[in-house]
Every structure is written in structure tokens, then in C-alpha cells.
Amino acid sequence: MDCDIVNLTDEDVIERIIKLNEGLASFWGNSRGWAPIEAAKILTKSRLDWQVSLSRQLKLFLNPIIEKEAGTLILAWSALGSLTEGTMKLFLSVWYNDYKNDIKAFKKKNDKIISPDTLTLEKLRVFFADSIYKENTRKLWEIEGAIDWIDWVLFIQQKRNAIHAFEDRDIGDFDIFFQNVRLYLQFLRNITDDFPYPDMEFGTYKPSEI
């Protein structure tokens, strides 16, 4: 994890998530004219503003007077799971041409490519494991003692799915939740750091969280 994330307060972590998702939504929600046509169509109709709104709602769980009960924690995991899903959809939408030409891309029965903005978190995780963070990358992470992001997405997915469950599930606690909010900021940085941007007057445009 980046050193600055380790040293931030939970509130500062959330502020950085908000700032970065605001920049991503502002730019990629209006990328017509330079982004590939199909990618621009997906990004323009996607509700990237909801990613920003969900990011802001993470502040709710900082409130010391909220009831720290199971239902509140389940809602917190649901919000974090939705943010994770949305970030992965954004990645595949930005790189849509690569996605649609990948042999592992999900298709309908008529062989038409399923748009990444409609994929479930499970399908996103499977595709990322097959085509983005492949086995050799994950082995390197293991050797380096780094975070395995595929395992992390599965962890978030399992916690998020508690909102659909009736049987008992391990949902952790708020300390674990906020640890994973920090990891989401790292994931968000990693996954968007190499997005392509056009050259602007004063250099390459890139959303900032600072």
C-alpha cells in the first residue's frame, strides 16, 4: 500500500476517493471527440456520477453516533462493493476495444459482446483473473508479499453479498471495513493510473485526488 495511504486518517482516505472519482467522472463522462467511438458511447451513458455519490456516502460510516449494528455494516460493505464494481466497469469501458477483442470477453448466445457496464461483479472478477491480472502476475504478487487484487475483489464480493443473505455470514467489523476502504483507494489508483489521456495545453490531462 502507498505510504501516504497508510498515514492518512479514515476521513482523509475517503476525501481522496471522492476527489479521484470526481475527476474520473468529469473527464470520462464527456470523452466524445477523442476516445474510441464505442468506448465513448458506453462511458457517456454510464452513471459515473453515482460513483461519486457513493464515494461521498462512505462518510456516513464515520459518524460516531450511528448505530454500529449489523445492518449498518452490511450497508457499508454494499457501498464499497458497488464502488469496486463500478471501478472495474470503468476500466473495461475505457479499454473497450481491448476488451471486445479478448477471447475471454463475455458474449451472448448470438455471439454479440456483452457490454462491460452490464457485467456482474463475479463476471468482472473472472475476466480480470483471466485477462488483466493473470496467473504470472499473481505469482509475482505472492513472491513480493503484495496484495492479490483478485482475492481482494472476492473478499469484497463476499462481504457485499451479505445484503442478499438470510443465513449467518461473517461480515467482520468496522475496523476491517475501513481497512478495506484504504485498499479500495489503492485499487482505484492502480487501476486508473495508466488510463490514456489526450495532450492538453499544459501537458497530459489526468484526474487528481490531491
Side-chain angles (χ1 to χ4, degrees):
M1 188 184 300
D2 290 348
C3 292
D4 66 315
I5 295 179
V6 173
N7 296 321
L8 292 173
T9 66
D10 290 337
E11 185 173 5
D12 286 339
V13 168
I14 292 172
E15 288 294 342
R16 294 201 177 199
I17 289 170
I18 294 169
K19 183 68 174 177
L20 186 46
N21 273 328
E22 282 178 340
L24 291 165
S26 175
F27 183 82
W28 290 104
N30 187 31
S31 58
R32 289 183 182 275
W34 73 271
I37 294 174
E38 290 176 296
K41 284 181 179 179
I42 296 171
L43 290 161
T44 300
K45 69 183 179 69
S46 296
R47 296 306 304 263
L48 297 178
D49 58 319
W50 286 0
Q51 284 287 100
V52 177
S53 185
L54 270 174
S55 300
R56 294 190 184 117
Q57 303 323 302
L58 294 176
K59 290 183 177 181
L60 295 174
F61 308 111
L62 290 168
N63 192 333
I65 66 172
I66 65 169
E67 293 292 335
K68 302 290 187 177
E69 58 182 79
T72 311
L73 184 55
I74 289 171
L75 291 175
W77 286 120
S78 179
L80 187 56
S82 294
L83 282 168
T84 302
E85 180 180 302
T87 297
M88 296 170 79
K89 287 180 176 181
L90 173 61
F91 179 90
L92 295 185
S93 297
V94 168
W95 299 107
Y96 179 73
N97 284 346
D98 296 284
Y99 166 75
K100 74 174 183 178
N101 292 319
D102 194 298
I103 61 172
K104 297 295 181 66
F106 291 98
K107 298 180 180 180
K108 299 178 182 179
K109 290 182 179 180
N110 62 3
D111 214 36
K112 183 178 180 181
I113 294 291
I114 298 176
S115 178
D117 62 331
T118 65
L119 295 177
T120 63
L121 185 52
E122 170 64 13
K123 282 186 166 58
L124 289 165
R125 183 181 63 81
V126 169
F127 182 81
F128 269 67
D130 287 341
S131 297
I132 310 300
Y133 298 138
K134 298 180 181 180
E135 186 177 356
N136 59 335
T137 299
R138 298 181 69 192
K139 284 182 177 178
L140 182 61
W141 288 341
E142 184 178 3
I143 292 170
E144 295 177 344
I147 298 165
D148 186 319
W149 291 110
I150 299 300
D151 286 347
W152 179 78
V153 170
L154 178 60
F155 176 85
I156 297 299
Q157 181 182 353
Q158 291 169 338
K159 292 291 185 283
R160 176 196 185 183
N161 287 347
I163 200 166
H164 305 297
F166 189 73
E167 75 276 9
D168 183 48
R169 284 183 183 233
D170 178 11
I171 59 172
D173 55 35
F174 273 99
D175 286 340
I176 294 173
F177 169 74
F178 281 111
Q179 289 170 17
N180 282 278
V181 171
R182 289 173 186 272
L183 289 174
Y184 170 69
L185 174 56
Q186 183 69 69
F187 181 69
L188 179 61
R189 285 178 176 180
N190 291 353
I191 210 170
T192 62
D193 192 52
D194 293 325
F195 277 6
Y197 288 99
D199 291 330
M200 299 300 191
E201 182 179 356
F202 300 104
T204 301
Y205 176 90
K206 185 175 181 180
S208 172
E209 65 194 82
I210 305 301

